[in-house]
Amino acid sequence: MGEELILLNFWPSMFGARVRIALKEKGLNYEEKEEDLPNKSPLLLEMNPVHKKIPVLIHNGKPICESLIIVQYIDEMWNDKAPLLPSDPCAKAQARFWADYIDQKKSKEEAEEGKKELIEIFKVLEGALEEKPYFGGEAFGYVDIALIGFYMWFHTYETCGNFSIEAECPKIIAWAKRCLERETVSKSIHDPNKVYDLAMSFRKKFGLES
């Protein structure tokens, strides 16, 4: 079909990881262009003039913005394999609810200041996970993609907040390890130690060290 897929991204972005995973789950080839966020490229500014943020997926020259919208687009566009959202309307609505919950809650939390809130969010998500291997049941899918990108930041949250996610929320860590057994996930998420080093360099640069 001559599909051209370009992903504008920044390597430690949990939101960009969602798009990487979805593309890999569908077996799609794509080109990834790394953005320097303090010096955003003309292409990023052209393709996302409203928010000027990554990730942006450019499909045959047309931009799709916002990570969860991109994942839904990928699922609908290439709907012949590896479904990410359930076909049942009720189950699909529930999946969208939990993905939206993750975005509303987690992206606002700082590990140091919001340690209690972060743990409470994880406990709510553990309740949604129940005893299932994945949020949607037996199959890896949309809500898993929405949350697993945050895994590469867990070490930073724990170190800065001086707590253990595994001690507080063991089901979430067991789920994350299960997700990481998938090559589509493990190859889409960067080393948590590299992410921590980057976070510390930003803290030092902006004088946020305690």
Side-chain angles (χ1 to χ4, degrees):
M1 290 175 63
E3 304 281 8
E4 183 188 50
L5 289 165
I6 298 169
L7 173 60
L8 307 184
N9 197 16
F10 179 45
W11 67 267
S13 169
M14 61 281 282
F15 305 110
R18 293 170 170 174
V19 183
R20 281 199 206 105
I21 293 166
L23 289 165
K24 286 180 168 63
E25 284 286 328
K26 296 288 186 177
L28 298 168
N29 294 318
Y30 65 98
E31 177 188 355
E32 185 162 345
K33 292 189 176 181
E34 184 75 7
E35 284 289 330
D36 175 15
L37 295 188
N39 302 290
K40 295 171 182 176
S41 72
L43 182 61
L44 175 59
L45 298 176
E46 177 190 351
M47 292 293 156
N48 191 359
V50 177
H51 295 302
K52 304 176 178 63
K53 291 179 180 178
I54 56 93
V56 178
L57 182 68
I58 306 169
H59 181 205
N60 292 338
K62 295 178 180 178
I64 303 96
C65 306
E66 300 294 320
S67 62
L68 291 177
I69 292 172
I70 297 171
V71 172
Q72 291 178 44
Y73 175 84
I74 291 168
D75 197 36
E76 291 170 8
M77 190 72 197
W78 292 275
N79 60 6
D80 56 330
K81 55 185 173 181
L84 305 178
L85 275 156
S87 57
D88 175 70
C90 183
K92 186 179 290 185
Q94 288 176 340
R96 285 176 169 154
F97 170 86
W98 285 113
D100 187 58
Y101 175 84
I102 290 162
D103 268 9
Q104 285 185 11
K105 296 289 186 179
K106 286 191 56 46
S107 58
K108 294 178 183 176
E109 299 299 338
E110 291 291 334
E112 279 181 290
E113 291 80 7
K115 179 168 65 175
K116 282 185 181 178
E117 290 83 356
L118 198 63
I119 292 167
E120 284 172 11
I121 291 162
F122 281 131
K123 287 189 180 298
V124 170
L125 290 168
E126 280 192 323
L129 184 61
E130 298 175 321
E131 302 302 323
K132 304 187 296 287
Y134 301 107
F135 280 93
E138 295 299 318
F140 178 83
Y142 184 67
V143 182
D144 305 294
I145 290 172
L147 183 58
I148 192 59
F150 288 89
Y151 177 81
M152 59 183 161
W153 283 88
F154 281 10
H155 175 58
T156 302
Y157 297 158
E158 291 175 316
T159 306
C160 292
N162 191 29
F163 71 107
S164 165
I165 295 172
E166 186 161 25
E168 299 283 351
C169 304
K171 282 185 186 177
I172 288 291
I173 297 300
W175 160 85
K177 289 176 179 176
R178 195 175 303 118
C179 291
L180 286 163
E181 292 172 3
R182 302 178 72 84
E183 195 172 294
T184 55
V185 175
S186 62
K187 289 194 170 181
S188 299
I189 291 179
H190 287 275
D191 180 356
N193 291 307
K194 281 182 65 179
V195 173
Y196 173 76
D197 290 343
L198 178 75
M200 292 306 100
S201 70
F202 276 144
R203 286 173 66 86
K204 188 178 290 186
K205 181 177 179 180
F206 293 107
L208 299 174
E209 289 184 310
S210 55

